[in-house]
Every structure is written in C-alpha cells, then in structure tokens.
C-alpha cells in the first residue's frame, strides 16, 4: 500500500479562507484582531515557530506583536509582561511560546493569562471548561488534528485511536476531544506513553495512530496494521550536513516504513504543523469577536 498524504497545508489554507471575512468584519470596526506573542530565550525551534505564527497572522490581517525576553528573565519579569498584555485593550490573544528556559514556572505563567485571552487553550479554566464540554478555547494542535481528520474525510466515529504520548499540550487533550460524543469524535481511545508495556501490541490494534512522543523512530511500519491512518505530530531536527541549515525535520514516525503500510499519513513538515497555526488564528479571531467577554 502507498499511503495517501494528509495535506495539512491545504486544509490550513481552507481554514484561513474561512476566517478572512471574519477578520475583515473586525477590521471594518477599526479594531482588527491582535495577538501578542511572548518568547523567552533564544531556542531556535521556538523562534521558527513564532516566526511562522506571526507570518500567518500578517497574511490574514491579524496584528501581531512579539515580546522577546532574555533567557535570564526572572519569573516576576515574565509574569509582569503577561499582566501588561492582559490589560492592553489592543491585545485579544496572548501566546507564551513553550518551553520556557525554566519550565518549572510554566504553570504560573499560564495561569496568569486571562482565560478570555488564552488562545493556546492552556489555562486551567479553559482546560476545565473543555473537559466539562463547555465552550472554551481548544488547544491548537489537538483541535487541528481533529479538523485535519474531519476535512480529509477520515471518520473517528467508533474507531480505535491509539495515541503515543501523554503531554498536556497534545496527547492528553486529544484523548479527551476524540473520546467525546459527537460526529468529529466518538472514538475509543488508548493513551500510550513511555511506561507502556508492549507499545506495538497497542498500536497494531489501531485504526488511527497518533505519534506524539517527541522522539524520531517512535512508530515503525511493523508497529501498525495494513491500512491504518497515521497522524505524525513530531517535529524533530536531525543533523543533515547536505542542507545549508545543517538539519532536516522528521516526525516521530519512520516515514518510509510506515507509509508503505498505512492508508494515509501526515507528512512532516506540512501535516499537523500548519493545522496548529490555523487553529491559533481561529482562536485569535474568536477572542477578538468575544472581546471583553468570557471565553464562551
Ligand atoms: N510549544 C509547542 N507547541 C506549542 C503551542 O501550541 N503553543 C505554545 N505556546 N507553545 C508551544
């Protein structure tokens, strides 16, 4: 079998086109949507993600600003930056790019973001509202995966989805979204992680495998059944002296062997990544439309 490629770039472009009239309507009121991005330190991957997010904002007419703090910035300085943005009426959405150089302060930083500006959907209020099935900002990568499957015509209803990776940003919220009731969900979900025994025994049972472990080679072709759908969330830089930048991006799946057995697979790059950005744009537009209200 040669896998069909699930084109995240094309689906993300479709979502951006759907957002365009909503951005235009906001701009016509004199206040286009505004996103503030906080970046701490000089992690090259974070810089490239933030650059891609800001470029996507500019293309759509969302006004973005970047607040770059040195890696040495204190907890108090980072919190004060977020608090200023909370008070700034031109800012509809606030995104603090993770990981922070000191990851131990991430929960405090996330909690200080006003829930109605939390376009990442990481604040405990939004996580709690999502878990309860109340309107909330949904986290961008899991929501992007749900949208990519739906818009690619892959139903999750009644399907067995095996997720490899239990992060707060991807695996855990995705398990929740896919196991909810509803036409874009209704899956039976298995959440695997680093302590799972016999990982391949689980992934071989899956109709849909989501590789979100953050490690290349997590999923190989012999670990899936023929005709499975594979969503690869990994973005890993591996050294490649043949390239001017010295690296190339690979996912968590071993693309060749997995694509030879799968019915469909998301490429890296060009699969989940563009969908994450599209959902960030959607959340920012929604935040601007709900300006001043609660996240609902
Ligand atoms: N780091 C990796 N993914 C994300 C994301 O979706 N949002 C933020 N803020 N940081 C990230």
């Amino acid at each position: 079998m040669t896998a069909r490629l699930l084109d995240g770039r094309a689906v993300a472009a479709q979502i951006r086109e759907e957002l365009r009239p909503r951005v235009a309507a906001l701009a016509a009121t004199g206040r286009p949507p505004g996103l503030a991005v906080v970046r701490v330190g000089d992690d090259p991957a974070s810089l490239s993600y933030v650059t891609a997010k800001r470029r996507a904002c500019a293309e759509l007419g969302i006004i973005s600003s970047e607040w770059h703090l040195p890696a040495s910035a204190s907890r108090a300085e980072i919190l004060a930056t977020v608090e200023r943005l909370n008070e700034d009426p031109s800012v509809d959405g606030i995104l603090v790019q993770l990981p922070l150089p000191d990851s131990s302060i991430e929960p405090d930083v996330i909690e200080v973001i006003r829930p109605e500006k939390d376009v990442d959907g990481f604040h405990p209020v939004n996580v709690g509202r999502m878990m309860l099935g109340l309107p909330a900002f949904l986290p961008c990568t899991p929501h992007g995966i749900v949208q990519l499957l739906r818009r690619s015509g892959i139903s999750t209803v009644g399907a067995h989805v095996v997720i490899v990776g239990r992060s707060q940003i991807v695996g855990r919220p995705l398990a929740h979204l896919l196991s909810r009731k509803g036409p874009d969900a209704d899956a039976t979900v298995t959440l695997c992680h680093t302590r799972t025994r016999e990982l391949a025994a689980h992934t071989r049972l899956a109709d849909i495998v989501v590789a979100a472990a953050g490690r290349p080679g997590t999923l190989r072709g012999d670990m899936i059944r023929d005709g499975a759908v594979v969503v690869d969330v990994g973005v890993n830089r591996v050294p490649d002296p043949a390239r001017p930048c010295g690296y190339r991006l690979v996912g968590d799946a071993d693309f060749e062997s997995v694509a030879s057995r799968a019915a469909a697979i998301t490429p890296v790059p060009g699969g989940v990544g563009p969908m994450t950005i599209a959902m960030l744009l959607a959340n920012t537009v929604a935040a601007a439309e709900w300006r001043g209200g609660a996240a609902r």
Side-chain angles (χ1 to χ4, degrees):
M1 183 169 302
T2 303
R4 163 187 165 208
L5 287 184
L6 301 178
D7 187 349
R9 284 196 185 115
V11 176
Q14 182 190 0
I15 291 170
R16 288 197 301 273
E17 290 316 305
E18 291 168 11
L19 293 171
R20 218 172 275 288
R22 292 167 61 189
V23 174
L26 287 158
T29 69
R31 260 279 277 111
L35 175 70
V37 179
V38 179
R39 185 167 60 89
V40 184
D42 293 296
D43 176 56
S46 288
L47 173 61
S48 90
Y49 294 142
V50 164
T51 303
K53 289 170 182 177
R54 294 198 62 202
R55 193 176 294 146
C57 283
E59 192 278 328
L60 193 61
I62 294 174
I63 309 298
S64 79
S65 56
E66 183 176 348
W67 304 82
H68 181 212
L69 304 179
S72 59
S74 66
R75 175 181 175 282
E77 283 166 329
I78 300 171
L79 293 180
T81 300
V82 172
E83 276 164 352
R84 267 200 313 277
L85 297 169
N86 278 339
E87 299 304 326
D88 184 338
S90 73
V91 171
D92 298 303
I94 301 171
L95 178 151
V96 179
Q97 186 64 30
L98 303 180
L100 294 177
D102 174 5
S103 60
S104 72
I105 65 168
E106 287 175 3
D108 294 349
V109 173
I110 289 167
E111 204 160 1
V112 91
I113 299 171
R114 275 205 197 135
E116 61 268 31
K117 294 192 176 190
D118 168 40
V119 287
D120 260 325
F122 293 166
H123 190 282
V125 165
N126 282 313
V127 176
R129 292 181 64 95
M130 175 188 72
M131 293 298 295
L132 293 167
L134 299 171
F137 288 118
L138 298 180
C140 301
T141 300
H143 192 204
I145 293 169
V146 170
Q147 289 292 321
L148 180 59
L149 291 172
R150 176 164 90 94
R151 291 166 184 255
S152 304
I154 294 167
S155 173
T156 56
V157 174
H160 183 194
V161 180
V162 173
I163 301 170
V164 185
R166 57 180 155 185
S167 72
Q168 299 288 358
I169 293 182
V170 183
R172 217 167 267 287
L174 182 63
H176 171 75
L177 292 179
L178 290 176
S179 57
R180 298 191 298 185
K181 274 189 196 289
D184 299 335
D186 274 335
T188 302
V189 176
T190 301
L191 185 56
C192 297
H193 47 74
T194 40
R195 303 301 297 269
T196 296
R197 268 188 252 130
E198 299 284 348
L199 177 63
H202 293 280
T203 54
R204 280 188 198 116
L205 294 175
D207 301 304
I208 301 172
V209 183
V210 180
R215 191 165 34 85
T218 296
L219 192 70
R220 300 180 312 271
D222 64 332
M223 296 170 70
I224 65 164
R225 66 167 181 76
D226 283 329
V229 171
V230 174
V231 176
D232 192 346
V233 186
V235 185
N236 306 292
R237 290 184 176 204
V238 297
D240 185 348
R243 301 219 172 179
C245 60
Y247 68 88
R248 75 194 145 89
L249 295 181
V250 300
D252 285 0
D254 172 47
F255 188 84
E256 296 303 322
S257 66
V258 171
S260 73
R261 293 192 81 167
I265 184 169
T266 61
V268 177
V272 173
M275 292 302 298
T276 297
I277 296 179
M279 301 330 290
L280 170 69
L281 300 173
N283 281 348
T284 304
V285 172
E289 288 171 342
W290 297 331
R291 200 166 279 158
R296 80 178 86 85

